[in-house]
Amino acid sequence: MEIRFEEAAVSFGDRIALHSLNLTLAERRIGVIGLNGSGKTTFARLINGLLKPTSGRVIVNGRDTAADDRAVLADVGFVFQSPQNQIILPIVKDDIAFGLKGRGRKPAEIEAAVDAILARFDAAPLAERRAHELSGGELQLAALCAVLVTGPQIVILDEPTNQLDMRNRARVEAIIAGLPEHVLVITHDLPLIEDFERVLVFHEGRLIADAPPAEAIARYREVAV
Ligand SMILES: Nc1ncnc2c1ncn2[C@@H]1O[C@H](COP(=O)(O)OP(=O)(O)OP(=O)(O)O)[C@@H](O)[C@H]1O
Ligand SMILES: [Mg+2]
């Protein structure tokens, strides 16, 4: 797994959301921190190709996200900052199955894969529930299942503990720790990324630190106050 930013930059009109960035990522646990509006989500959206750089290139496993976005989407799973925005079908198990349809898999195989992913996270009771009736933590879990079931190599979680109670927060933390996939977590919950291999700090659209957690968090504190 390798993600490479080559002079990649993003502007929305005359607003620069991300200044030109050169960076290579291959670690299994990467944290992304910074103030609101600092460019974290913009940076992450470049990785799965849903957002294309205004200039420069983003290369995921050797493929340019601007040229080969379907292949990139298959490698990179993304759980949105507001997971209700990624629910497509009303019933949880149908929504999880949706990502597996149209890939030439038999219905029985799809059902088994959905059951397995729900069981993996002790979420079987959610299967028949209506997604829009779920609590924030349940929805977070359903969205994670819908992403992981497709077998991505890397999973991006945008503020996965936002709005969770202590119990669900601890649960999400344990789930992240146990994921065999590469994980990139954007968060304001600094203890969540304390044990990560590498932490990136964004500030006003610029990467201002790329370091182990303690050093990166200290740098974030400097600019936050
Ligand atoms: N689609 C868009 N159109 C215009 N401006 C945008 C768009 N998306 C993001 N921006 C702007 O780009 C900047 C970076 O936004 P981004 O969502 O990446 O921030 P963030 O670090 O994820 O913040 P937060 O912690 O609040 O989620 C902000 O100033 C934002 O207003
Ligand atoms: Mg964001």
Side-chain angles (χ1 to χ4, degrees):
M1 209 287 305
E2 190 195 72
I3 300 162
R4 214 163 63 234
F5 288 77
E6 295 177 351
E7 317 266 316
V10 176
S11 298
F12 296 108
D14 55 11
R15 180 201 302 266
I16 300 174
L18 194 69
H19 290 267
S20 177
L21 182 62
N22 285 299
L23 186 69
T24 302
L25 302 171
E27 289 76 10
R28 283 193 62 244
R29 293 292 181 267
I30 298 167
V32 178
I33 61 177
L35 297 173
N36 293 134
S38 56
K40 304 179 299 297
T41 297
T42 301
F43 165 76
R45 287 177 66 211
L46 286 173
I47 300 172
N48 78 339
L50 279 185
L51 178 67
K52 311 286 192 279
T54 313
S55 58
R57 303 199 304 163
V58 179
I59 313 286
V60 176
N61 290 334
R63 291 187 293 240
D64 188 327
T65 61
D68 215 351
D69 53 356
R70 285 185 71 86
V72 169
L73 271 175
D75 285 355
V76 185
F78 200 119
V79 181
F80 293 172
Q81 190 161 358
S82 307
Q84 59 269 23
N85 293 343
Q86 70 190 84
I87 302 295
I88 296 163
L89 295 176
I91 303 296
V92 169
K93 68 173 171 41
D94 298 337
D95 188 68
I96 296 173
F98 182 81
L100 295 175
K101 302 236 164 93
R103 294 183 181 209
R105 294 177 66 170
K106 297 194 182 87
E109 273 174 33
I110 292 177
E111 205 180 315
V114 172
D115 289 348
I117 198 84
L118 285 166
R120 177 170 155 199
F121 298 112
D122 290 326
L126 299 182
E128 308 289 340
R129 299 280 308 276
R130 296 194 158 271
H132 79 268
E133 292 172 3
L134 299 182
S135 78
E138 290 166 343
L139 189 65
Q140 196 72 253
L141 203 55
L144 181 62
C145 286
V147 166
L148 289 178
V149 78
T150 65
Q153 288 181 30
I154 173 164
V155 186
I156 298 173
L157 302 168
D158 197 349
E159 302 196 22
T161 60
N162 195 13
Q163 293 184 328
L164 298 190
D165 65 21
M166 278 176 73
R167 184 185 296 161
N168 274 322
R169 185 209 166 277
R171 190 157 177 226
V172 165
E173 185 170 43
I175 285 171
I176 292 171
L179 289 176
E181 291 86 357
H182 286 254
V183 182
L184 184 141
V185 178
I186 302 169
T187 193
H188 298 291
D189 175 359
L190 302 180
L192 191 66
I193 47 108
E194 247 166 19
D195 298 327
F196 279 20
E197 294 164 76
R198 183 171 181 184
V199 176
L200 310 177
V201 185
F202 284 89
H203 188 65
E204 296 174 351
R206 287 192 169 83
L207 179 67
I208 59 158
D210 174 0
E215 191 183 330
I217 290 169
R219 183 77 184 105
Y220 176 38
R221 281 192 209 290
E222 280 172 21
V223 296
V225 293

